[in-house]
Amino acid sequence: MKQVLMKGNEALAEAALRAGCRFYSGYPITPQSEILEYLSWRMDEVGGEFIQTESELSGINMLLGASAAGARVLTSSSGPGYSLNQEGISYLVAADLPAVIVDVMRYGNGLGDVSQSQGDYWQLTRGGGHGDYRTIVLAPSSVQENADFTYEAFELAEKYRHPVLIGSDAAIGQMIEKVSFPEMKDHDIDTYEWSIKGCKKGEVQKKITNTLYYMENYDDYLLNKYQQMEDNEQRWESISVEDAELVLVAYGISSRICKEAVMTAREQGIKLGLIRPITLWPYPVNAFKELGSECKALMTVEMNILGQMKDDVVLAVANKYPVYSYTTVKEVPETETIIEKAKNILSCKEA
Amino acid sequence: MKLKAPESISFAETSFCPGCGHGLVARLIGEVMEEMGMTEKLLTVVDVACASLNIDTWKFDTIMAAHGRPIATATGVKKVRKENPVLAYLGDGAAYAIGISETMYGALRNDNVVVIVINNGVFGMTGGQMAPTSLEGQRTSTTVMGRDVKKTGKPFDITKMIGQLDIAYLARGSVANFKDIAKTKKYIRKAFEKHMNNEGYCLLEILSPCPTNLGMTPVQCAQRVDDAMRDQYPTGEYIDNGGNQ
Ligand SMILES: Cc1ncc(C[n+]2csc(CCOP(=O)(O)OP(=O)(O)O)c2C)c(N)n1
Ligand code: SF4
C-alpha cells in the first residue's frame, strides 16, 4: 500500500480498524485524544461502534462486555486514565478476554502534565491492577510501528485470550511521519467458541467470569500461559551489540536518539551498541545473550525519574555487568550527553 | 400461577439464602424469557455481589462484571450483539453507590439495555453494611445506632434522579407478596418488550428482602419490605414512554 503522512495516534487508530476492531469505548485525555477523535467518525464508516464514555472506568468495563460478546475491542488512555483502566484490565485477565489497551504515556505522578515521558514502565510491565498478572506490552518507536504493533496486538490478544498493552508515548503519538497500512481484515464475532451468543437448549452455558472459579489447575494454566509468552513473544532490535564496549538499552522515543548516538559514537571510535526492547514484557532477556566479550557495562536511557527499566536489565544480565541509567524525565535524551556518559563509564569515571 | 419452574433455572446450583428476593426475581426473569421465546437468546451481565450467584442459577450466557459496572458492560455487549436481549442485573449498592455514574450515564445515553436493580436496603454480599437505600434509622453493620441522615444524607430514590430523563421505562416493583410478584413480572415483561423494540434504557428497581443481613425470618423480612420499604420507595411505573422516543 502507498505511504501517507499521518500523526502517530491516528495511524494507531486506523491500524486498529484494519485489524478488524469494531468497538472502541474511552474518554479523552491528552496526549492520546486523537485516537478517540479519529475513531469517532472512522468507526461509523466501517460500521463499528464508538462510544465516548463518562470515564475510563466505564470505558474499560464496556469494552469487557464487547470483548465477551466476541468483538475485537480497543480503548486508549494516558497516565491518570490508564490508572482507571487497570480495574478492568485485571478483570479481562481474570476472565481470559482479549482486548487491546493503549497507554500514550505522559509525564508525572498525579495529574502530572501532558508532556512526553516514559514514566509508566513499571505500571505497564508489573501488572498494575490488583492480583498478580502480566500482559504483553508492545513499545513502538515510530508512527509506522504504532500502526504495525497495533495490528499485531490484536493477533496476540486473540492468540492468548489476554489483554495486550501498547506503551506508546506522547512524542510518537503526536509526531507526523510516513506510514503504510496493513490490509483491511474482517473479524467475525462468532469466531470464538467461548464468546456469549445465547445458550441453546442442551448446550452448556457460557460463563464469562474469573477462570479461577471453574478451572481446576488455574495456577498451572496461568503460569503456562505466561511461560508461552516469555518463550515465544520476546521482541527486540539490536544494533552493533556484538563488539560493543557499552550497550545502551532504550525503547520508544529514546531508542531513536540512542540509534543516532551509536552511529555518532562509532564515528568517534567509541564502541556503543543498542538493545531496543520491543516487548517491555515479556522482557527480551534473550537479547542480552548477544553481548560480546568486549562488553564492559550497560546503560538504560529512559524518560523518567527513577530509571524504571534498570531493574529488568540487571536481571537480564544476571549481575555480570554494571548497569547505569541516564534519565531525562520529560526532555528527550541528547546524543551528546549519551556519548559523554558513555565515555565516563568506559574510562571508569562515574556515569 | 405457573408451578413448573422455567428450564433456564438450575435449582441444583442456586445458592441464595432462604427467603432472599434475588431468587424470586431470577425465576421471574426465567419465566418471562420462556413466555417471550427468548430463553436461548438472553445475555445477562451480573454484578459481583449477591447478584453474581445468578451465574450458576441461570442457564443463560452470563458475564460477571466488576462491582458497579454491569450496566456499562451490558452496553458493550448490546453494541456487539444487537439482536440479543441484554440484561444488567445488580444490587442497590452496585447501582447507586459505586456504580451510580454507570447507572446515570446509561440513562443519559438512553442505552438500549434492561437494568434490574435489587433494592434490599443493605450491602448483602459483604455482610450487611449501609446501602444508599438503607432507611432512616436502619441498623446495619456500619450504622449500629441506626442510619443518621445528618451524616449520610437521606435514603436514595432512583426515581427522583432519573425520573425526568428521556428513557424508555422506569418502574419499581416488589417481591414481598403474591400480588406484587405478579405485578413485578408484568414490569419485567414490559421492560423486555420495549427493549426488543429498541426503545432504549429500561430500569426496573425491585424491593426485595435480605433476611440474612436484617437478622429476620423470611416472613418477617418480607413483611418489613411491605411495611417500611414501600413507604419510602413507592412501587409503580414512573416512566412509560411507549415508543415515543
Ligand atoms: C471495587 C470493589 N469494591 C468493593 C467490593 C466489595 N463488595 C462486593 S459486593 C458489595 C456490596 C454489594 O451490595 P449490593 O450491590 O447492594 O448487592 P447485594 O449483595 O445486596 O445484592 C461490595 C461492597 C468489590 N467487590 N469491589
Ligand atoms: S445475603 Fe441477602 S441478598 Fe445476599 S443471598 Fe443472602 S438474603 Fe439474598
Side-chain angles (χ1 to χ4, degrees):
Chain A
M1 193 200 149
K2 69 173 176 17
Q3 290 188 318
V4 289
L5 271 180
M6 217 165 179
K7 217 178 200 190
N9 282 337
E10 294 181 346
L12 189 156
E14 177 64 28
L17 292 184
R18 285 173 178 269
C21 171
R22 292 294 176 274
F23 184 89
Y24 177 97
S25 50
Y27 190 79
I29 184 169
T30 311
Q32 66 79 42
S33 295
E34 292 86 359
I35 299 177
L36 161 114
E37 287 169 355
Y38 185 88
L39 290 175
S40 69
W41 57 271
R42 186 75 175 108
M43 239 345 154
D44 277 349
E45 288 187 345
V46 297
E49 294 288 340
F50 166 90
I51 302 164
Q52 181 175 331
T53 55
E54 65 275 24
S55 69
E56 291 83 353
L57 277 176
S58 181
I60 192 84
N61 285 291
M62 212 176 261
L63 168 140
L64 185 148
S67 172
R72 285 197 156 184
V73 301
L74 174 78
T75 192
S76 57
S77 194
S78 181
Y82 179 68
S83 292
L84 295 183
N85 282 162
Q86 288 187 318
E87 172 186 286
I89 296 174
S90 176
Y91 273 82
L92 288 161
V93 169
D96 275 352
L97 290 175
V100 177
I101 299 117
V102 180
D103 178 16
V104 183
M105 287 184 260
R106 61 190 251 173
Y107 167 69
N109 307 325
L111 182 61
D113 78 23
V114 300
S115 42
Q116 61 206 346
S117 164
Q118 297 179 316
D120 295 348
Y121 181 88
W122 280 334
Q123 199 186 16
L124 289 165
T125 56
R126 263 58 187 167
H130 56 288
D132 51 344
Y133 66 88
R134 300 280 207 176
T135 40
I136 294 175
V137 187
L138 297 168
S141 69
S142 64
V143 173
Q144 183 64 55
E145 286 188 351
N146 248 8
D148 294 344
F149 291 5
T150 302
Y151 197 78
E152 196 179 354
F154 283 96
E155 297 298 319
L156 288 168
E158 177 174 291
K159 177 174 174 188
Y160 291 102
R161 278 182 67 180
H162 208 74
V164 169
L165 309 179
I166 296 176
S168 183
D169 66 57
I172 298 157
Q174 297 298 318
M175 67 170 59
I176 295 175
E177 288 183 319
K178 51 185 197 271
V179 52
S180 63
F181 287 104
E183 68 199 61
M184 202 74 162
K185 203 184 271 181
D186 271 336
H187 171 77
D188 175 3
I189 57 168
D190 289 323
T191 303
Y192 310 125
E193 52 57 52
W194 51 260
S195 67
I196 56 168
K197 311 170 176 75
C199 182
K200 301 273 173 299
K201 226 181 181 163
E203 272 181 10
V204 181
Q205 79 183 108
K206 308 284 188 320
K207 298 181 185 181
I208 306 282
T209 179
N210 207 317
T211 323
L212 152 77
Y213 301 151
Y214 53 82
M215 190 177 281
E216 265 180 36
N217 301 317
Y218 176 71
D219 0 356
D220 288 344
Y221 165 73
L222 265 191
L223 281 174
N224 179 52
K225 186 160 162 172
Y226 294 133
Q227 190 63 54
Q228 296 290 323
M229 291 177 190
E230 287 188 67
D231 291 347
N232 303 325
E233 311 304 344
Q234 287 184 36
R235 280 159 218 206
W236 72 90
E237 179 188 3
S238 39
I239 296 175
S240 308
V241 167
E242 307 73 27
D243 67 339
E245 290 189 56
L246 184 107
V247 174
L248 306 172
V249 190
Y251 64 93
I253 189 68
S254 9
S255 70
R256 291 171 65 139
I257 319 298
C258 289
K259 277 186 192 170
E260 191 184 270
V262 170
M263 279 184 356
T264 315
R266 292 227 165 217
E267 280 162 16
Q268 298 172 15
I270 306 163
K271 287 191 190 167
L272 286 193
L274 169 68
I275 291 176
R276 168 169 85 100
I278 288 174
T279 48
L280 301 185
W281 195 88
Y283 199 71
V285 289
N286 291 340
F288 296 82
K289 293 179 185 153
E290 295 169 3
L291 296 178
S293 54
E294 290 172 62
C295 180
K296 296 198 172 68
L298 298 97
M299 178 168 78
T300 72
V301 180
E302 38 184 331
M303 294 167 62
N304 54 54
I305 297 171
L306 295 168
Q308 297 185 4
M309 192 173 58
K310 190 175 160 184
D311 299 357
D312 281 335
V313 179
V314 170
L315 285 172
V317 298
N319 277 331
K320 273 205 272 181
Y321 309 94
V323 182
Y324 300 89
S325 282
Y326 164 35
T327 58
T328 59
V329 192
K330 60 179 176 172
E331 306 304 330
V332 174
E334 287 171 343
T335 305
E336 302 75 43
T337 318
I338 293 173
I339 296 175
E340 187 61 34
K341 288 194 178 268
K343 275 192 205 156
N344 285 345
I345 292 169
L346 291 174
S347 62
C348 292
K349 286 188 215 149
E350 230 174 291
Chain B
M1 193 189 163
K2 189 170 163 188
L3 290 176
K4 190 172 166 293
E7 286 185 15
S8 50
I9 301 285
S10 155
F11 286 101
E13 299 291 338
T14 195
S15 54
F16 296 114
C17 311
C20 176
H22 272 295
L24 283 165
V25 180
R27 173 172 174 149
L28 292 182
I29 291 167
E31 287 179 5
V32 169
M33 286 306 109
E34 208 159 85
E35 287 164 23
M36 293 178 74
M38 302 202 301
T39 306
E40 296 188 346
K41 288 199 148 167
L42 182 66
L43 305 176
T44 67
V45 183
V46 295
D47 190 73
V48 300
C50 292
S52 70
L53 304 176
N54 272 323
I55 199 168
D56 295 322
T57 304
W58 284 327
K59 294 178 192 162
F60 305 123
D61 279 4
T62 299
I63 303 175
M64 193 194 290
H67 185 38
R69 319 287 176 227
I71 300 175
T73 302
T75 294
V77 173
K78 184 67 185 179
K79 296 280 180 192
V80 177
R81 300 270 168 190
K82 296 192 175 64
E83 308 299 317
N84 294 70
V86 178
L87 165 69
Y89 180 96
L90 60 171
D92 44 27
Y96 306 152
I98 192 168
I100 185 67
S101 138
E102 283 77 1
T103 305
M104 190 71 196
Y105 262 84
L108 285 170
R109 279 188 301 262
N110 198 24
D111 283 347
N112 189 26
V113 288
V114 175
V115 179
I116 292 184
V117 180
I118 302 302
N119 177 355
N120 55 18
V122 281
F123 279 26
M125 178 59 96
T126 39
Q129 299 85 1
M130 182 190 76
T133 48
S134 296
L135 300 178
E136 189 166 347
Q138 184 179 329
R139 285 171 193 270
T140 71
S141 63
T142 49
T143 56
V144 288
M145 304 302 283
R147 180 175 184 174
D148 177 357
V149 296
K150 282 201 208 102
K151 285 191 194 164
T152 67
K154 295 212 167 146
F156 176 81
D157 183 343
I158 184 70
T159 64
K160 292 184 181 161
M161 190 160 189
I162 63 171
Q164 303 297 318
L165 297 181
D166 282 330
I167 59 176
Y169 190 57
L170 175 64
R172 181 182 288 127
S174 160
V175 286
N177 62 62
F178 176 72
K179 255 167 87 185
D180 278 347
I181 292 175
K183 232 192 240 167
T184 297
K185 182 171 165 184
K186 285 203 183 107
Y187 296 162
I188 296 173
R189 177 160 183 143
K190 197 158 174 184
F192 275 102
E193 280 167 358
K194 285 167 174 289
H195 175 63
M196 293 316 281
N197 206 17
N198 293 326
E199 289 173 37
Y201 199 70
C202 298
L203 188 146
L204 171 58
E205 182 187 286
I206 301 177
L207 304 179
S208 170
C210 172
T212 303
N213 283 302
L214 290 167
M216 294 175 170
T217 65
V219 175
Q220 284 170 334
C221 199
Q223 195 61 51
R224 175 185 171 278
V225 173
D226 265 345
D227 298 343
M229 282 188 85
R230 244 194 343 190
D231 277 354
Q232 178 76 40
Y233 303 112
T235 51
E237 293 177 297
Y238 288 81
I239 297 176
D240 183 359
N241 274 334
N244 295 333
Q245 296 289 305

